[in-house]
Amino acid sequence: MSTAHYDVHGTIAVIRLDNPPVNGLGLALRQGIVNGIRQAEADTAIKAVVLIGSDRAFSGGADISEFGSSKATAEPNLLTVVNYVESSRKPVIAAISGACMGGGLELALGCHYRIAKPDCPARSQTRPVAGRRWHTAFAAPDRRRARREHDRLRQRGSCQAVQGQPAV
C-alpha cells in the first residue's frame, strides 16, 4: 500500500514517500503528505519538514493505477497538496535523488526549497530564461515567482533558449 512515512530526527520532520516503483501520487500518498505536514505544524519542536522519495524517484507524478477512478480526483488532489505545502508555516524542503516528473515536479516546486544529489536525473530538467538555462526546480524559491519572472522576461522579449550550453 502506498503511504507517506513520518519520522522525526531532532528538530526535522521527514516525510518519506513510499509508493513503488516511482512514488506515484495516489490518494493514500497525498493524504499522507498533508497529514505529515499537519503533524509537523502541530509539533512546536519541529523547525522544518523534508519530503524525500527513493533513490529511484522523488515522484514520477500521478499514480496511473488510479486513472479513471474516483481516487484520482478525490481530496486532497494534487493542487490541494501543493497549496498546503506552499502555505506551510514551517519550511518544506524537497530532497530529490531520482526522477522528478509531472505532478512530482509540481510538488517539488511547491516546496520552499529543493536540494538534489549531484547525479540526480531531475537536475537536467531546465527551462530557458533570460538567455540562460535555469534549473527552475532548484533555483527558484517558489514556483509562482519563477513563473512570474519567466512571463515578465518573455513579454520583454528577453527569454531565449540557449542550445548546447550547460546550466549555471
Side-chain angles (χ1 to χ4, degrees), residues 2 12-13 21 33 40-41 46 54 65 105 111 130-131 149 158:
S2 66
I12 307 298
I33 293 167
E41 286 182 331
I46 299 298
S54 64
S65 69
L105 182 58
C111 292
E149 182 67 9
S158 305

Side-chain angles (χ1 to χ4, degrees), residues 21-34:
V22 294
N23 290 323
L25 294 168
L27 178 58
L29 190 54
R30 296 189 311 264
Q31 290 170 335
I33 293 167
V34 170

Side-chain angles (χ1 to χ4, degrees), residues 50-93:
V50 175
L51 288 180
I52 190 166
S54 64
D55 283 341
R56 182 174 180 183
F58 173 75
S59 176
D63 187 342
I64 61 171
S65 69
E66 292 184 356
F67 284 5
S69 76
S70 60
K71 287 182 176 182
T73 56
E75 286 292 336
N77 61 34
L78 180 60
L79 180 59
T80 302
V81 174
V82 171
N83 287 336
Y84 202 86
V85 168
E86 281 183 333
S87 65
S88 172
R89 294 184 312 271
K90 298 186 180 186
V92 180
I93 300 106

Side-chain angles (χ1 to χ4, degrees), residues 85-118:
V85 168
E86 281 183 333
S87 65
S88 172
R89 294 184 312 271
K90 298 186 180 186
V92 180
I93 300 106
I96 304 167
S97 63
C100 183
M101 304 177 290
L105 182 58
E106 284 292 317
L107 177 61
L109 289 173
C111 292
H112 300 103
Y113 301 96
R114 290 146 295 279
I115 57 172
K117 287 174 52 176

Side-chain angles (χ1 to χ4, degrees), residues 14-47:
V14 177
I15 301 171
R16 185 172 49 85
L17 311 180
D18 185 16
N19 187 11
V22 294
N23 290 323
L25 294 168
L27 178 58
L29 190 54
R30 296 189 311 264
Q31 290 170 335
I33 293 167
V34 170
N35 291 338
I37 291 175
R38 282 184 184 146
Q39 189 173 347
E41 286 182 331
D43 187 343
T44 57
I46 299 298
K47 302 297 180 201

